[in-house]
Amino acid sequence: MTFINSKFIKSEYSDIAKVSQGQSVCFYGMVQNVRVTKWGGFVIVRKPEGLIQTVIQKDTSSIIDEEGRSIGINDISREMAITIHGTVNSANIKDKSVKYNTIEIEVSKIQVISRPSTTEVIDVNALKFSDDESVLRYKFDNRQVSLRNPKDMAIFRVSSTIAQSFAEYLISVGFTQIFTPKIVSEGAEGGANVFNMDYFGKQVYLAQSPQFYKQIGVGVYERVFEIAPAYRAEKHNTSRHLNEFISLDVEMGFIKGQEEVMELEMNLLRHIIASVNEKCSHELQLLEAQLPCLPENVPVYRLSEAHELLYNEQLTADHRGEDDMAPEEERAICKYAKEKFGSDFVFITHFPTEHRAFYAMNDPEDPTLTLSYDLLMCGIEITSGGQRIHKEEDYRKKMAERGMNPDNFKFYLDTFHNGMPPHGGFAIGLERITSFFLGISNVKEASLFPRDINRVAP
């Protein structure tokens, strides 16, 4: 019989950046790269927080393999797992991929823990960002290893910070995190872009969004959010589309209008941008990324106003009367807002009823329009949101107009049958906002293991 002590054994330091010069340290890591010199060499070690440079002197550093035998620096290879013992010295490291560029570790001993079973280890240091399909295919085919590239690591530290700060802010203003099913009986967004599957002899679907469930959550907790996968069976193979993505969903009750939802989103995005700037300065520098500008006042245009403005300013072709923004309009209005108001963000509101989901509330002053919005950032839509219908009779009326069968939505309609407050919300795609924040042209690069029409592995 044995016992586990509750005290967790860990490295001697919690943050190497806070360790004083001359202090002894011991830590684990993976070998990112090795540079051999006449006097010894450098071993670049990968830790979750970033790369650390260690210095090996032939006369004073010992290297021990798994069997306890003494080996040389030439025997150290990429992707070995090692333990490093040494002393912290000051340094001035020019390599931007090394996070701790003002210190290095003077090695007294390296112990090899394990090594790759192949001598032809993928050189993750050579992998580059590229729009070339063959380069992307190679990276995604070898994703389990290519993620070890410093720039790829940086992307997902930023992505993690976005998700963490998203939850952090919402919890601070009274939201409750919920977790909803991804196997559903009906698609929340409607249309054909749902994945269907057999479920013990029944046809069910993968959830396009948690829309129904987060609205139900409003009746329980008033303010709810979720961070979870969502699925869209869109037969696109472009740099802007994923078939599985992480959706950051928000829903809030007792609102007076969609403006309250828009205001919440702006405050949330300000918090996220500030958090990324504060916690990911190295990653932003490595990726040469500049976060978008979000001023105190963000311009808001009705869809019809935006069409008219862009046409009158001769910034685009004539799209007046269309039920959505054309891609050229999205780019043009963001450029206009940046030049005129210093904002990388623009709200477009009041989309036609037939263009929005059935749960979008109609504008009481013009029922052909909805109290809904898109948020554009740097020329691309990053969010759809707005006020929802909260009365059962209004749902049944809109379902009848669209030829929908209310019986297929019984559990959902029962929510409103039993009373709901006015409410609204929005959703942000984590991969999309990460790629836009970092200036990455292909959203798949911001997905750990991207899923598109051709890829389901690794």
Side-chain angles (χ1 to χ4, degrees), residues 56 71 97 99 144 167 173 178 268 313 399 407 413 445 457:
I56 294 177
I71 59 175
S97 68
K99 179 172 184 177
Q144 62 272 46
V173 292
I178 60 174
L268 171 61
E313 293 286 334
M399 285 179 170
D407 293 341
L413 292 176
E445 297 259 34

Side-chain angles (χ1 to χ4, degrees), residues 162-182:
I162 290 172
Q164 290 172 19
S165 56
F166 174 85
E168 176 185 80
Y169 177 79
L170 292 172
I171 290 171
S172 75
V173 292
F175 281 76
T176 298
Q177 186 170 10
I178 60 174
F179 306 92
T180 67
K182 302 306 159 203

Side-chain angles (χ1 to χ4, degrees), residues 21-257:
Q21 184 176 344
Q23 184 174 338
S24 297
V25 293
C26 171
F27 58 95
Y28 307 111
M30 301 289 290
V31 176
Q32 184 80 14
N33 205 8
V34 182
R35 300 200 305 272
V36 179
T37 65
K38 292 181 180 179
W39 48 263
F42 301 92
V43 175
I44 307 301
V45 179
R46 185 175 69 249
K47 294 288 289 175
E49 58 271 23
L51 301 185
I52 304 169
Q53 179 169 287
T54 71
V55 182
I56 294 177
Q57 303 281 354
K58 284 183 179 179
D59 298 333
T60 58
S61 304
S62 65
I63 306 172
I64 309 298
D65 72 6
E66 305 96 310
E67 306 299 326
R69 297 169 298 204
S70 180
I71 59 175
I73 188 172
N74 286 303
D75 298 309
I76 297 179
S77 63
R78 293 193 306 272
E79 303 307 329
M80 278 184 170
I82 60 176
T83 304
I84 302 97
H85 299 262
T87 305
V88 177
N89 288 336
S90 61
N92 183 19
I93 300 169
K94 303 299 184 184
D95 184 352
K96 289 197 300 183
S97 68
V98 177
K99 179 172 184 177
Y100 299 101
N101 57 8
T102 60
I103 60 171
E104 62 186 11
I105 310 301
E106 186 79 24
V107 172
S108 58
K109 178 183 176 181
I110 285 181
Q111 173 73 57
V112 177
I113 301 172
S114 67
R115 67 180 67 217
S117 58
T118 177
T119 57
E120 298 180 358
V121 175
I122 293 173
D123 185 3
V124 299
N125 303 295
L127 299 176
K128 307 294 183 183
F129 289 123
S130 174
D131 290 328
D132 186 291
E133 187 60 35
S134 63
V135 174
L136 289 172
R137 189 182 309 115
Y138 179 82
K139 289 182 69 174
F140 296 151
D141 285 347
N142 297 280
R143 196 62 159 167
Q144 62 272 46
V145 181
S146 66
L147 285 169
R148 301 175 187 182
N149 178 280
K151 288 189 175 181
D152 284 282
M153 291 177 66
I155 291 171
F156 295 102
R157 275 194 289 267
V158 172
S159 176
S160 175
T161 300
I162 290 172
Q164 290 172 19
S165 56
F166 174 85
E168 176 185 80
Y169 177 79
L170 292 172
I171 290 171
S172 75
V173 292
F175 281 76
T176 298
Q177 186 170 10
I178 60 174
F179 306 92
T180 67
K182 302 306 159 203
I183 299 175
V184 298
S185 60
E186 288 288 339
E189 307 300 321
N193 62 342
V194 290
F195 289 105
N196 60 71
M197 56 184 282
D198 178 78
Y199 188 74
F200 305 109
K202 301 176 183 178
Q203 181 167 287
V204 295
Y205 307 93
L206 293 179
Q208 297 166 300
S209 85
Q211 185 61 46
F212 294 168
Y213 296 101
K214 65 177 182 173
Q215 286 182 265
I216 291 170
V218 167
V220 183
Y221 297 109
E222 188 178 316
R223 294 181 159 204
V224 297
F225 75 93
E226 182 175 33
I227 303 174
Y231 303 87
R232 300 287 171 92
E234 297 175 332
K235 294 183 179 180
H236 299 297
N237 188 21
T238 75
S239 61
R240 293 177 57 179
H241 290 90
L242 288 166
N243 295 107
E244 179 183 38
F245 60 95
I246 301 301
S247 186
L248 310 179
D249 273 271
V250 175
E251 204 76 15
M252 58 190 293
F254 294 98
I255 64 171
K256 294 182 177 65

Side-chain angles (χ1 to χ4, degrees), residues 164-428:
Q164 290 172 19
S165 56
F166 174 85
E168 176 185 80
Y169 177 79
L170 292 172
I171 290 171
S172 75
V173 292
F175 281 76
T176 298
Q177 186 170 10
I178 60 174
F179 306 92
T180 67
K182 302 306 159 203
I183 299 175
V184 298
S185 60
E186 288 288 339
E189 307 300 321
N193 62 342
V194 290
F195 289 105
N196 60 71
M197 56 184 282
D198 178 78
Y199 188 74
F200 305 109
K202 301 176 183 178
Q203 181 167 287
V204 295
Y205 307 93
L206 293 179
Q208 297 166 300
S209 85
Q211 185 61 46
F212 294 168
Y213 296 101
K214 65 177 182 173
Q215 286 182 265
I216 291 170
V218 167
V220 183
Y221 297 109
E222 188 178 316
R223 294 181 159 204
V224 297
F225 75 93
E226 182 175 33
I227 303 174
Y231 303 87
R232 300 287 171 92
E234 297 175 332
K235 294 183 179 180
H236 299 297
N237 188 21
T238 75
S239 61
R240 293 177 57 179
H241 290 90
L242 288 166
N243 295 107
E244 179 183 38
F245 60 95
I246 301 301
S247 186
L248 310 179
D249 273 271
V250 175
E251 204 76 15
M252 58 190 293
F254 294 98
I255 64 171
K256 294 182 177 65
Q258 66 173 343
E259 292 77 16
E260 290 187 37
V261 180
M262 295 158 67
E263 181 182 358
L264 172 77
E265 184 169 7
M266 287 298 93
N267 290 334
L268 171 61
L269 285 171
R270 285 190 186 93
H271 177 80
I272 290 173
I273 291 171
S275 294
V276 173
N277 262 323
E278 177 188 352
K279 298 175 182 178
C280 300
S281 58
H282 168 72
E283 288 75 19
L284 295 175
Q285 182 181 19
L286 178 60
L287 296 168
E288 299 179 347
Q290 184 174 353
L291 295 181
C293 179
L294 178 53
E296 188 67 27
N297 296 308
V298 175
V300 180
Y301 297 97
R302 288 182 173 232
L303 177 64
S304 58
E305 291 176 335
H307 286 321
E308 198 73 36
L309 169 70
L310 296 173
Y311 175 72
N312 289 337
E313 293 286 334
Q314 298 182 338
L315 298 176
T316 65
D318 189 358
H319 294 281
R320 292 176 296 177
E322 295 182 7
D323 57 10
D324 201 354
M325 294 284 285
E328 65 164 334
E329 287 186 296
E330 291 179 336
R331 294 188 292 269
I333 197 136
C334 285
K335 181 180 179 182
Y336 180 84
K338 179 69 171 180
E339 293 173 353
K340 191 169 183 65
F341 306 108
S343 176
D344 284 318
F345 295 83
V346 183
F347 281 109
I348 307 296
T349 68
H350 292 82
F351 288 83
T353 300
E354 65 270 16
H355 183 69
R356 289 315 224 198
F358 74 93
Y359 50 76
M361 177 169 278
N362 292 350
D363 184 350
E365 297 180 2
D366 183 353
T368 66
L369 302 177
T370 55
L371 299 179
S372 66
Y373 69 83
D374 282 354
L375 177 61
L376 309 180
M377 186 192 85
C378 300
I380 300 290
E381 174 208 325
I382 64 166
T383 301
S384 285
Q387 187 169 353
R388 323 301 192 189
I389 296 171
H390 62 273
K391 293 181 179 180
E392 181 187 8
E393 57 267 30
D394 292 337
Y395 273 106
R396 291 189 177 276
K397 180 181 178 182
K398 187 171 277 193
M399 285 179 170
E401 291 171 351
R402 298 192 176 197
M404 301 169 65
N405 185 356
D407 293 341
N408 294 336
F409 299 87
K410 183 179 184 306
F411 84 94
Y412 181 60
L413 292 176
D414 280 350
T415 308
F416 307 97
H417 184 73
N418 287 280
M420 279 285 286
H423 61 282
F426 57 88
I428 304 172

